[in-house]
Amino acid sequence: MCKLDDILDTEVRNYDGAPSGKQGMSVERIRFNTDVMFALAKRLELPLDRTTELMRRCGGFRRLHRSYTRRGEVSANEIAKELSFSLR
C-alpha cells in the first residue's frame, strides 16, 4: 500500500507553460479535481509531481477536466481508476 509520505514527496519545479484557462474554477471543481489527483497518485504509487508530469505528457488533464461533469454518476476514486488505466 502506498504511504502518504510517498505521495507528498514532491519537488518544487517551474513550468514554462502559460496559463490555459480563461476563467477561474469554482471551489467545488478544484476540490473534486484535487480528490481525483490524490486518488490517482495513490493508485499509481507516485509522488504528486511525477503524477502531474505523467498526466501532462499523456494528455490526462483533458480527461480530468471533462470528468467533472460526471461527478454525480461516478466517484472520484472511479475516475482515478479510469485515468490510471489510461496512463499505464
Side-chain angles (χ1 to χ4, degrees):
M1 186 86 178
C2 181
K3 294 182 181 179
L4 185 61
D5 293 336
D6 295 335
I7 295 171
L8 296 177
D9 184 29
T10 60
E11 299 175 12
V12 177
R13 299 181 188 177
N14 292 328
Y15 293 101
D16 296 333
S20 60
K22 295 182 173 65
Q23 299 182 42
M25 287 193 281
S26 68
V27 173
E28 182 183 340
R29 187 174 192 146
I30 292 170
R31 184 176 294 130
F32 180 78
N33 288 350
T34 303
D35 290 345
V36 172
M37 284 301 293
F38 271 104
L40 181 61
K42 184 176 179 181
R43 284 189 66 79
L44 296 175
E45 297 182 0
L46 292 172
L48 284 172
D49 59 343
R50 291 187 189 160
T51 304
T52 305
E53 272 299 316
L54 184 63
M55 292 274 290
R56 196 178 303 263
R57 278 188 275 128
C58 298
F61 281 113
R62 283 184 80 183
R63 195 166 190 178
L64 175 67
H65 294 306
R66 291 180 184 162
S67 68
Y68 181 72
T69 59
R70 297 175 46 210
R71 71 189 181 281
E73 306 163 3
V74 182
S75 69
N77 288 330
E78 287 296 319
I79 292 172
K81 183 177 177 181
E82 293 172 9
L83 279 170
S84 69
F85 285 130
S86 69
L87 294 175
R88 289 185 182 176

